[in-house]
Amino acid sequence: MRLTAAALMCCAMVFAAQGCSDSQQPHVTGTTPYTITVNGSLPPPVIPSDNPLTQEGVLLGRTLFHDPLLSKNSKQSCADCHRQESSFIDPNRAFSIGVDG
């Protein structure tokens, strides 16, 4: 459910940007490449050349992941259950109970 809300938010931003004239288009400046290190047991991630991994993009993802406004009740972020220190799982449950649980 949260993924759907995040996907809809991204689509809305894309459509809103498409409606801008060239003089209104936001100009992205100062994108900084993000270097990802992977240990030897995992294959390197496939990163599309037309969507490079940047520090600004990682910060945006981290911000959205911690934003409770993207949830059904606007009170719970993805990070509330999907703990980074537990490999993004809920360490207290085999299955997530979700926002209505």
Side-chain angles (χ1 to χ4, degrees):
M1 183 63 80
R2 287 180 235 149
L3 180 58
T4 303
L8 288 173
M9 177 77 77
C10 288
C11 287
M13 288 189 290
V14 168
F15 287 125
Q18 292 296 326
C20 297
S21 69
D22 287 340
S23 63
Q24 294 174 327
Q25 285 286 349
H27 295 282
V28 178
T29 58
T31 56
T32 310
Y34 185 88
T35 304
I36 188 168
T37 42
V38 181
N39 66 21
S41 64
L42 296 172
V46 177
I47 300 173
S49 60
D50 63 340
N51 189 14
L53 192 59
T54 64
Q55 290 182 14
E56 294 80 9
V58 170
L59 178 61
L60 173 61
R62 191 170 283 138
T63 301
L64 293 173
F65 189 73
H66 288 87
D67 190 345
L69 295 179
L70 296 177
S71 71
K72 185 177 179 181
N73 65 5
S74 298
K75 295 179 181 177
Q76 179 178 359
S77 75
C78 298
D80 289 338
C81 297
H82 301 276
R83 302 290 193 173
Q84 182 173 355
E85 64 271 10
S86 300
S87 301
F88 297 101
I89 65 165
D90 184 344
N92 302 315
R93 295 180 166 47
F95 297 98
S96 177
I97 58 173
V99 71
D100 293 324

